[in-house]
Amino acid sequence: MEYKFSDKIANLKPSAVREILKSTSDPDVISFAAGNPAPEAFPVEDIRAITKKILDEEPILALQYGVTEGYGPLVDLLKHSIKERLGIGSENDALIVTSGATQVMELTTKVLCNEGDTVLVEDPSFIGSLNAFRSHGVKLTGVTLEPDGVNLEELEAALKADDRIRVFYTITNFQNPSGYTLSWEKRKAIYDLACKYDIIILEDNPYGDLRVAGEDIPAIKTLDTEGRVIYAGTFSKVIAPGIRVGYALGPKEILAKMTVGKQTEDVHNVMLSQLLVYHWLKEYDLKSHIARMQDIYRKKLNLMCDLIDSELGGYVEYVRPEGGLFVWCRLRDDLPMLEFCKKAVEKKVAVVPGTAFLADENGSTQFIRLNFSTPTDEEIVTGMKLLGEVAREMTGE
Amino acid sequence: MEYKFSDKIANLKPSAVREILKSTSDPDVISFAAGNPAPEAFPVEDIRAITKKILDEEPILALQYGVTEGYGPLVDLLKHSIKERLGIGSENDALIVTSGATQVMELTTKVLCNEGDTVLVEDPSFIGSLNAFRSHGVKLTGVTLEPDGVNLEELEAALKADDRIRVFYTITNFQNPSGYTLSWEKRKAIYDLACKYDIIILEDNPYGDLRVAGEDIPAIKTLDTEGRVIYAGTFSKVIAPGIRVGYALGPKEILAKMTVGKQTEDVHNVMLSQLLVYHWLKEYDLKSHIARMQDIYRKKLNLMCDLIDSELGGYVEYVRPEGGLFVWCRLRDDLPMLEFCKKAVEKKVAVVPGTAFLADENGSTQFIRLNFSTPTDEEIVTGMKLLGEVAREMTGE
């Protein structure tokens, strides 16, 4: 038979990044295309010990159905720990546990947006979130991203021009794909604009703990006196992504609707994953683990940036990120971006073409995204040298 | 601020069953309201051994990101095992792993239905699925469920009357809430009608392995020469629900779109859960586990039905199910259903009012749903005696 798909899904393409990842299962390819956290940072020994304890002491709790909001003691612990560490969360906020942070973007759209409503996004932005928005048939409007955050004039112009804007989505620290961090001044300005134009801010902070230089900047959520910020967090980077534990902290009323939405998807998070995060947070030292993790990431980030300078120095411009997983490089105009990516794959190095991250899927850009957390140090060295060769061969220099 | 919710979610109520469950956290209440599998059937020892082995031998695989379709070796093994056990799955079908089976209903609706399209459902049906359909703004049309399946005349009349019907949803074995099983004759007739009126059948079979009497009936999917059946399965009952592992088997083209949809929700299933199911299926004896599980359920089902006969004999009518988790009881007309449920809770016994399962949320019914898998044998005895008391007190007999 011939299949007819819903309008909202008919034109949605599989994530370019995830498709590239599939094609790079070739073990000979050095991949700077992934977004995987560094496996050497996973607290494997802790996880082994805690998992054993859980399955020995409370196997039925770990295996039976749970409530949609999340395992009660974990919800309470997270609220407390987030309040303490980040200073966010009020009497009017609730917290729910989600299956990774992407589900927060999807549920926010599900509960707040009708088809044809608009979500404002940083341009470029994380393709997984962009597709989560698109999967509900909303219109995406991109706002140019600068090294200290979106262009504020453009943001306000967009808000003025479109009365169907419901949500502004921002990844505040070491943004994906750009590595840029939103300045404190712009955070305040964005919150004020959200109040003025009566929209919700969706603040996504998956990389905040991966800071390797500079000072932490308070979350937009710290400013939220009006109850218009939904904050998305995740343990994918701090513990491990395969456990799929994220969370949303936001206004109770909205979170109650998101819970109803989650009931219709996966019903609740895997119980063992939730118990694991609960015991890990309770029994292990989060701060020293983060410090250890930051050491690993600092070394890798610096290695890659030094090699960009030495191997691609004259060919790219970039802003050295203060953390995160990615470096966003603008190729010189005489290096056509897509051709560069193609030639790189021929040399067995995978990078992600920047077009994957644009709000307008048909847009063009000279940027590529490089990931430094997944490859080994050796792979970073070899891969960056190969990218240098590509640039020299293309320009004949 | 005042929040404005999307049309599709604004009127969606939290699952009545899950809300009742929350209120029955009172340990003094005997709950016949849950749908939890019997914890004594969980293969706890096997799970301990396999989990240890996974975390010892392949911790990074268990903790890193995975692909959206599911862990490759598990997908292959499931296809093979399902083909062998149930005789379903062709060259034109694909299989994806989902976070429980409810996600299959949600993704099917997401990819096939626009807002305002219709999903045909058995009336009554599982509230979790009904809400998954509703969460995409589709219209639900109920078809009266009889002890051998939906009324076929009514089904065809509905198909004739509404050209926006995209999907017919059926729970074929020991349906939730009714416990009824769809006859082979009706399975064939439904498939023919689906072909005639060009719709997709969504065949949900969470309880098939919980048969305690009678003979297995082949799935509708075995008839699927045209590629119009999506089959949903789950390990929630055979292994445990807390691991959240379900799957969809269906036409490749549809499953590819469902994969894109899942990418925007939870990205992929928890890796440890997938590895657990993979090793369990590979290294343990599924058939003998199912036989052991059926013994547990047979004993509980018979105990409850015998007590319905002895304690509520003159007050209810029901069809003794051949498996599953539930008995669907019609109260005598002089026992107003909602009042009965209220008086039961006053006596510390929780049952689910049948209204929770109707396609029309404002409909009325004399049915209640009783679950026999979660309570202990002792609780079944005590609880059923209390329900008998309620009936006698209400009628003054």
Side-chain angles (χ1 to χ4, degrees):
Chain A
M1 70 177 286
E2 252 188 62
Y3 304 109
K4 207 185 116 214
F5 296 105
S6 66
D7 298 333
K8 56 187 174 289
I9 221 80
N11 298 315
L12 198 60
K13 296 175 193 82
S15 154
V17 181
R18 296 189 75 80
E19 293 303 306
I20 287 171
L21 286 181
K22 268 194 239 170
S23 71
T24 61
S25 60
D26 176 352
D28 292 341
V29 170
I30 293 175
S31 178
F32 298 147
N36 292 4
E40 58 267 41
F42 297 168
V44 173
E45 276 310 318
D46 303 353
I47 291 170
R48 277 188 193 125
I50 295 171
T51 305
K52 180 175 186 324
K53 197 177 147 195
I54 293 166
L55 289 177
D56 282 350
E57 292 176 11
E58 39 193 8
I60 302 308
L61 179 66
L63 296 171
Q64 191 55 281
Y65 278 115
V67 295
T68 306
E69 290 83 350
Y71 174 57
L74 174 61
V75 169
D76 293 341
L77 182 64
L78 280 179
K79 269 194 207 156
H80 180 79
S81 128
I82 291 162
K83 181 84 192 168
E84 202 178 67
R85 292 184 60 226
L86 307 176
I88 61 177
S90 78
E91 294 268 293
N92 301 318
D93 287 316
L95 185 147
I96 64 169
V97 183
T98 58
S99 297
T102 299
Q103 196 175 41
V104 180
M105 317 315 151
E106 195 270 339
L107 290 174
T108 298
T109 325
K110 182 176 260 179
V111 308
L112 293 177
C113 298
N114 286 323
E115 291 185 11
D117 282 347
T118 304
V119 174
L120 270 183
V121 298
E122 297 164 333
D123 200 11
S125 186
F126 172 46
I127 182 167
S129 298
L130 299 183
N131 278 346
F133 304 138
R134 289 180 182 124
S135 76
H136 285 287
V138 303
K139 185 185 142 196
L140 294 186
T141 298
V143 183
T144 304
L145 187 63
E146 298 163 349
D148 64 344
V150 282
N151 181 297
L152 293 176
E153 289 70 42
E154 216 182 293
L155 178 64
E156 180 151 19
L159 287 164
K160 252 186 208 155
D162 182 355
D163 64 358
R164 293 197 64 179
I165 294 171
R166 305 280 295 124
V167 174
F168 171 62
Y169 172 65
T170 173
I171 305 171
T172 44
N173 297 306
F174 329 123
Q175 198 247 20
N176 181 356
S178 67
Y180 300 164
T181 293
L182 186 59
S183 70
W184 177 234
E185 288 64 36
K186 284 197 173 176
R187 289 180 196 217
K188 286 186 290 187
I190 288 168
Y191 186 73
D192 290 343
L193 285 172
C195 295
K196 183 169 169 190
Y197 292 93
D198 195 23
I199 62 160
I200 296 287
I201 295 171
L202 179 53
E203 177 175 25
D204 188 12
N205 186 20
Y207 314 114
D209 292 316
L210 303 181
R211 180 175 281 283
V212 304
E215 294 294 322
D216 283 339
I217 301 172
I220 303 176
K221 184 72 182 162
T222 59
L223 304 164
D224 191 23
T225 49
E226 297 202 355
R228 54 174 77 251
V229 181
I230 299 168
Y231 178 93
T234 175
F235 287 92
S236 288
K237 279 77 198 178
V238 177
I239 299 183
I243 64 172
R244 312 303 306 125
V245 179
Y247 57 88
L249 172 78
K252 275 182 185 165
E253 266 188 79
I254 299 179
L255 275 272
K257 290 291 184 190
M258 285 169 71
T259 304
V260 175
K262 185 172 163 66
Q263 258 174 21
T264 70
E265 294 179 4
D266 53 7
V267 187
H268 68 86
N269 268 50
V270 168
M271 287 301 292
L272 188 57
S273 290
Q274 295 189 72
L275 290 166
L276 174 65
V277 173
Y278 173 70
H279 287 284
W280 190 81
L281 285 176
K282 236 179 127 73
E283 291 153 33
Y284 291 80
D285 184 358
L286 177 63
K287 275 188 194 156
S288 72
H289 172 69
I290 288 178
R292 190 178 80 88
M293 202 175 66
Q294 287 172 339
D295 285 342
I296 294 171
Y297 281 85
R298 184 177 298 112
K299 198 165 147 273
K300 288 181 109 76
L301 183 150
N302 286 335
L303 177 66
M304 176 160 272
C305 288
D306 292 349
L307 281 154
I308 295 175
D309 296 343
S310 62
E311 302 301 320
L312 284 173
Y315 300 108
V316 304
E317 286 179 351
Y318 76 102
V319 177
R320 189 179 274 235
E322 295 193 328
L325 305 176
F326 307 109
V327 188
W328 185 234
C329 297
R330 190 188 184 287
L331 294 167
R332 218 169 65 184
D333 287 335
D334 59 343
L335 287 166
M337 188 274 293
L338 286 173
E339 202 189 319
F340 181 90
C341 296
K342 233 167 108 182
K343 294 229 185 278
V345 168
E346 285 168 17
K347 284 212 188 274
K348 307 251 178 204
V349 185
V351 305
V352 187
T355 37
F357 306 99
L358 301 182
D360 172 5
E361 290 172 291
N362 303 314
S364 64
T365 176
Q366 272 297 95
F367 280 91
I368 57 170
R369 190 190 75 175
L370 301 179
N371 164 264
F372 54 82
S373 59
T374 319
T376 62
D377 292 355
E378 202 177 47
E379 286 173 329
I380 292 177
V381 175
T382 313
M384 289 311 300
K385 290 196 179 188
L386 289 169
L387 289 186
E389 275 179 31
V390 172
R392 285 191 296 278
E393 284 172 18
M394 280 177 74
T395 56
E397 288 173 6
Chain B
M1 69 177 286
E2 252 190 62
Y3 304 109
K4 208 186 115 215
F5 296 106
S6 66
D7 298 334
K8 55 188 177 286
I9 222 79
N11 297 315
L12 199 59
K13 296 176 193 79
S15 154
V17 180
R18 297 189 75 80
E19 292 304 306
I20 287 171
L21 287 181
K22 268 193 240 173
S23 70
T24 60
S25 58
D26 176 353
D28 292 341
V29 170
I30 293 175
S31 177
F32 299 147
N36 291 4
E40 60 266 42
F42 296 168
V44 172
E45 277 308 318
D46 304 352
I47 290 170
R48 278 189 193 125
I50 296 171
T51 304
K52 181 175 184 329
K53 197 177 146 194
I54 293 167
L55 289 178
D56 282 350
E57 293 176 10
E58 40 193 6
I60 303 306
L61 179 66
L63 294 172
Q64 191 53 282
Y65 279 115
V67 295
T68 306
E69 290 83 349
Y71 174 57
L74 174 62
V75 169
D76 292 342
L77 182 64
L78 280 179
K79 271 195 205 156
H80 180 80
S81 128
I82 290 162
K83 181 84 194 168
E84 199 177 70
R85 291 185 61 226
L86 307 175
I88 61 177
S90 78
E91 294 268 294
N92 302 317
D93 286 318
L95 184 146
I96 63 170
V97 183
T98 57
S99 297
T102 298
Q103 196 175 41
V104 181
M105 315 318 150
E106 195 270 338
L107 290 174
T108 299
T109 324
K110 182 175 260 180
V111 308
L112 294 177
C113 298
N114 285 322
E115 291 186 10
D117 282 347
T118 305
V119 174
L120 270 183
V121 298
E122 296 165 332
D123 200 10
S125 187
F126 172 46
I127 183 167
S129 297
L130 298 183
N131 278 346
F133 304 138
R134 289 179 183 125
S135 77
H136 285 286
V138 303
K139 185 185 142 195
L140 294 185
T141 298
V143 183
T144 304
L145 187 64
E146 298 165 347
D148 63 346
V150 283
N151 181 297
L152 293 176
E153 288 70 40
E154 217 182 291
L155 178 64
E156 180 151 18
L159 286 165
K160 251 186 208 155
D162 182 355
D163 63 0
R164 292 197 64 178
I165 294 171
R166 305 281 294 125
V167 174
F168 171 61
Y169 171 65
T170 173
I171 305 171
T172 43
N173 298 305
F174 329 123
Q175 199 247 17
N176 181 358
S178 68
Y180 300 165
T181 293
L182 185 59
S183 71
W184 176 236
E185 287 64 37
K186 283 197 174 176
R187 291 180 195 219
K188 286 187 290 186
I190 287 169
Y191 186 75
D192 290 343
L193 286 172
C195 296
K196 184 169 167 190
Y197 291 93
D198 194 24
I199 62 159
I200 297 287
I201 295 172
L202 179 53
E203 177 174 27
D204 188 12
N205 187 21
Y207 313 113
D209 291 316
L210 303 181
R211 179 175 281 282
V212 305
E215 294 294 323
D216 283 338
I217 300 172
I220 303 176
K221 184 71 184 163
T222 59
L223 303 164
D224 190 21
T225 49
E226 295 200 357
R228 55 174 75 252
V229 182
I230 299 167
Y231 178 93
T234 175
F235 287 92
S236 288
K237 279 76 199 178
V238 176
I239 299 183
I243 63 171
R244 312 305 303 128
V245 178
Y247 57 89
L249 172 78
K252 274 180 186 167
E253 264 187 82
I254 300 179
L255 275 270
K257 290 290 184 191
M258 287 169 70
T259 304
V260 175
K262 183 172 164 67
Q263 258 173 22
T264 70
E265 295 179 3
D266 52 7
V267 188
H268 69 85
N269 268 50
V270 168
M271 286 302 294
L272 187 57
S273 290
Q274 295 190 71
L275 289 166
L276 173 66
V277 173
Y278 173 71
H279 287 284
W280 191 81
L281 284 176
K282 235 179 128 74
E283 292 153 31
Y284 291 79
D285 185 358
L286 177 63
K287 276 190 193 154
S288 74
H289 172 70
I290 288 178
R292 189 178 81 88
M293 201 175 65
Q294 288 172 338
D295 285 342
I296 294 171
Y297 280 86
R298 182 178 299 111
K299 199 165 146 271
K300 287 181 108 78
L301 183 150
N302 286 335
L303 176 66
M304 176 159 270
C305 288
D306 292 349
L307 280 153
I308 295 175
D309 296 343
S310 63
E311 300 302 319
L312 284 172
Y315 300 107
V316 304
E317 287 179 349
Y318 75 102
V319 177
R320 187 179 274 234
E322 296 193 328
L325 306 176
F326 307 109
V327 189
W328 184 235
C329 296
R330 190 187 185 290
L331 294 167
R332 218 169 65 185
D333 288 334
D334 58 344
L335 289 165
M337 188 274 292
L338 287 173
E339 202 188 319
F340 181 89
C341 295
K342 233 167 109 183
K343 293 227 183 283
V345 168
E346 285 167 19
K347 283 210 188 275
K348 307 253 178 200
V349 186
V351 305
V352 187
T355 37
F357 306 99
L358 301 183
D360 172 4
E361 292 172 288
N362 303 313
S364 64
T365 176
Q366 273 295 96
F367 280 91
I368 57 170
R369 189 190 76 173
L370 301 179
N371 164 263
F372 54 82
S373 57
T374 318
T376 62
D377 292 357
E378 202 177 46
E379 286 174 328
I380 292 176
V381 174
T382 312
M384 290 310 300
K385 291 197 176 183
L386 288 168
L387 289 185
E389 274 178 32
V390 172
R392 285 191 298 278
E393 284 173 17
M394 280 177 73
T395 57
E397 287 172 5

